[in-house]
Amino acid sequence: MTGVAVSEAALEIEKLLGLHPKGFDLSLDRITRLLAALDNPHLKLPPVIHVAGTNGKGSVTAFCRAILEAQGLSVHVHTSPHLVNWHERYRLGVAGGRGQFVEDAVLADAVRRVADANGGEKITVFEILTAVTFLLFAEHPADVAIIEVGLGGRFDATNVMPRPAACVIMPISLDHQAYLGDRVELIAAEKAGIMKRGVPVVIGYQSEEAARDVLIETAERLGCPHAVYGQDFLAHEEFGRLVYQDEFGLADLPLPRLPGRHQYANAAAAIRAVKAAGFAVGEPALESGLSRVEWPGRLQRLPDGALFRLAPPASEIWVDGGHNPGAGQVIAETMANFEEREARPLFLVTGMINTKDPVGYFESFRGLAERVFTVPIRGSDAGLDPAALAEDAARAGLEAAPLATVGEALVEIVRITAQDSVPPRILIGGSLYLVGDVLADNGTPPT
């Protein structure tokens, strides 16, 4: 199953990677043809919460899942990309319990059936894997499915469901400009493409007013009942608790288990989303969901493991896959809050792929990080050269140096801090691919 070096499903997917392009070719024609050959499994799903956005998609998905499972519902979840194993993209709901990653043999069989149905026609691997999502979710009963958009929205392969129970649009910022446009309002228009006429829409916190306006205008044009963060629902911290408010009333809840103040708005969007989708959730389920939520690779602390043991003793090590300027802002804010709580020197170990804006990401850490070590990414052919990435960090005002591996960076931090009385805080990130490599090397794959 998951966690093994080579699995049956992974071998099947590797075959596909050798036959079909790995990138994105935004269109719905190919996925629609393939689904028709599979007898349209996307029309046989349980109620769906469809989630788009530049940042926060994974967090709101995790919150929705945790809340719904705490209510006793079985929840299918589709996310992408995976961190360590392909199976992470498909979590199948279990009646009255915590959903589990799909079993290896089940996934391998689904991949083979989808590939056979495609018959060698031109298609992307992401489209095949999305068809696998619909096939698995249609064939395994559940109370609800949460399906995360891969890229954009309007032409994303997940956007073939005629009427989801609710759509959620999370914060929008610049990312994937080559596909979605170079202005936030253009990107917002692409994300808004998942809205369906009359289907409830939840609009999460938007720092960009232009993006927010596009989303509201689209929802109004399509006659979608819509709830907007800061206008129709909100959340804030009060006396160490999270106070959530919407038109249904107030809820006094524990602070989310996921670190960072930005998670307050993400949790609020999830609460509003499950309500918009028609699920009655009591306050005990909300409390349990916020307290138990998990989202690997997003401000995840490494408490032990092979890489952890290379770092200075008593180091605080965090991994996070955020990779665009918007993500950099919220991660840096969280690191600054950690600094106020407990002062430690901050070091960044960063790897990125070549479709991102490294300078925009690094700028948020100016004056906060002591030094940056840039490293290559094993899990992607599009990884930036560490020397070039170090130059980007320097342009953002940070002292930076390239190294060959994360392990070397940790050893270098040991050398630099050998005489320090306070152990460092280390943030490893800049790419989900890098985070996946780190979790695998550390021996802590997602479960």
Side-chain angles (χ1 to χ4, degrees), residues 15 65 89 101 136 153 162 206 236 238 256 259 271 291 299 321 350 373 411-412 421 426:
K15 291 179 188 176
R65 173 194 156 214
R89 296 173 179 238
F101 294 147
L136 289 171
Q206 303 293 331
H236 65 276
E238 189 172 303
I271 294 170
S291 299
L299 280 175
T350 308
F373 295 105
V411 170
E412 182 64 9
S421 59
I426 303 167

Side-chain angles (χ1 to χ4, degrees), residues 6-17 86 104 108 111:
V6 179
S7 72
E8 185 182 0
L11 291 174
E12 293 296 331
I13 295 170
E14 288 299 323
K15 291 179 188 176
L16 297 175
L17 291 171
W86 293 97
D104 187 62
V111 171

